[in-house]
Structure formats: structure tokens, C-alpha cells
Amino acid sequence: MSPQDASPGKLAADFAEQAAALRRFAGPPTEFWPAFLGLAGRVAEAARVVLIRSDPADGGRWKQMAEWSAPNATAAGLALFRNALLALSDDCARNGVAKRLLPPEAKVAPPQPLGLAVRLVTIGAKETSLIALFIPQADPAQLDAIAARLQFLADVPQSYQEHSLVEQAR
């Protein structure tokens, strides 16, 4: 369901249902992560969502683990997002959330594109995992609301991992 097709209350209920289903998801990680990234992308009306992980055992470098693109996503503004990704990830690792208005490209009309990142809660959190989103048509007045919706999803990976461990133990 697209945000234009439903009331805000219906959308919130649908997103909450989808998050609850992912918390109990019984499939492998190769199916979980695309579903999770897709949900985060739809919640934020993002064009691109990237799962990024930094492991101290690997020198703390950021590594892209997975990516989701909206079906109608274009490449406009994407280079700006990619260029800001490391700084956005570092800010998010320190603060839990990071938001950056990206300088618009000549072809991108206002409102400005936005990079937004939210740290995820996972089991065995020696590594830092986060999602970074590219939102090409960001309304600065709605950034806090978008970040809050994404923070609601931040512990879904941990719930999925715990559910998987319980299922494996059976």
C-alpha cells in the first residue's frame, strides 16, 4: 500500500503489523533483510535503503551488507547520498540517529534530498549495524517523525534473531 492510498492511521497500523510479522519471521536472513529494508524504505518513503555494519575485529570499517531500492527509484541525487554515507554512518554510530540534508544536484528540485541513518539493535552487538536511507524528496518539517518511525523498527532485527534462536533450540 502506498502512502498516497491510505489514511495516516491505516498506514501506521499496516506498518506496525508488518513490523510485528518481521519480529516473528521464521525464514533465513537472506529473506529477512530484504523484507526489513523494504519496510524501512516504505515507512520513510525512501528511494534507497542500505544495511551497513562495522565490526571492530575487521578494523571498524563500514561494510555494506544489503541494499533495497524502491520500484520507482531513480539515480537522481544518489551520488550525493553515496558520498555522505561514511560521515552519516559515523554520526549514527555515535548518536543512534543521523540526518543530513544533501546539497541538491542541478537536476533535483526542492525539497532537498536527505540522508538519514538509524542504528539497529542486534544480538552480539560488538559490531555496529545501521540502516542508511536516501530520501529524495525530504520535507525538513517531517524529519523527526520519520526518524521516530524508523527507531520503532530499530529492534526488529534483534527480535528476529531471538526468535530464530528459539526456533533452532526446539
Side-chain angles (χ1 to χ4, degrees):
M1 175 178 304
S2 77
Q4 296 81 15
D5 297 340
S7 70
K10 174 74 172 131
L11 280 174
D14 288 345
F15 290 144
E17 267 182 43
Q18 291 173 40
L22 284 174
R23 289 176 196 283
R24 300 181 309 272
F25 188 75
T30 55
E31 293 174 15
F32 169 80
W33 286 110
F36 176 74
L37 297 178
L39 176 59
R42 291 187 301 277
V43 163
E45 295 184 42
R48 192 82 39 129
V49 183
V50 180
L51 172 65
I52 304 170
R53 185 170 291 151
S54 170
D55 188 343
D58 190 24
R61 290 182 313 230
W62 291 108
K63 211 183 299 188
Q64 181 174 321
M65 306 304 290
E67 186 169 327
W68 173 87
S69 295
N72 58 347
T74 68
L78 190 56
L80 294 169
F81 173 66
R82 294 274 184 217
N83 290 339
L85 202 49
L86 286 177
L88 190 65
S89 300
D90 288 339
D91 290 350
C92 180
R94 280 190 301 275
N95 303 313
V97 176
K99 300 174 261 188
R100 251 177 222 259
L101 286 172
L102 304 171
E105 291 179 337
K107 296 181 248 178
V108 180
Q112 279 185 298
L114 170 83
L116 178 64
V118 175
R119 188 172 50 220
L120 301 176
V121 181
T122 57
I123 293 176
K126 286 183 181 178
E127 69 223 13
T128 301
S129 297
L130 59 90
I131 52 173
L133 300 91
F134 172 60
I135 305 170
Q137 297 292 313
D139 178 356
Q142 296 179 348
L143 295 184
D144 289 336
I146 293 168
R149 288 193 300 267
L150 292 170
Q151 286 177 304
F152 169 76
L153 297 176
D155 69 337
V156 169
Q158 179 184 25
S159 296
Y160 163 70
Q161 291 170 325
E162 289 170 348
H163 180 77
S164 294
L165 289 173
V166 168
E167 290 299 311
Q168 288 173 4
R170 290 185 180 179

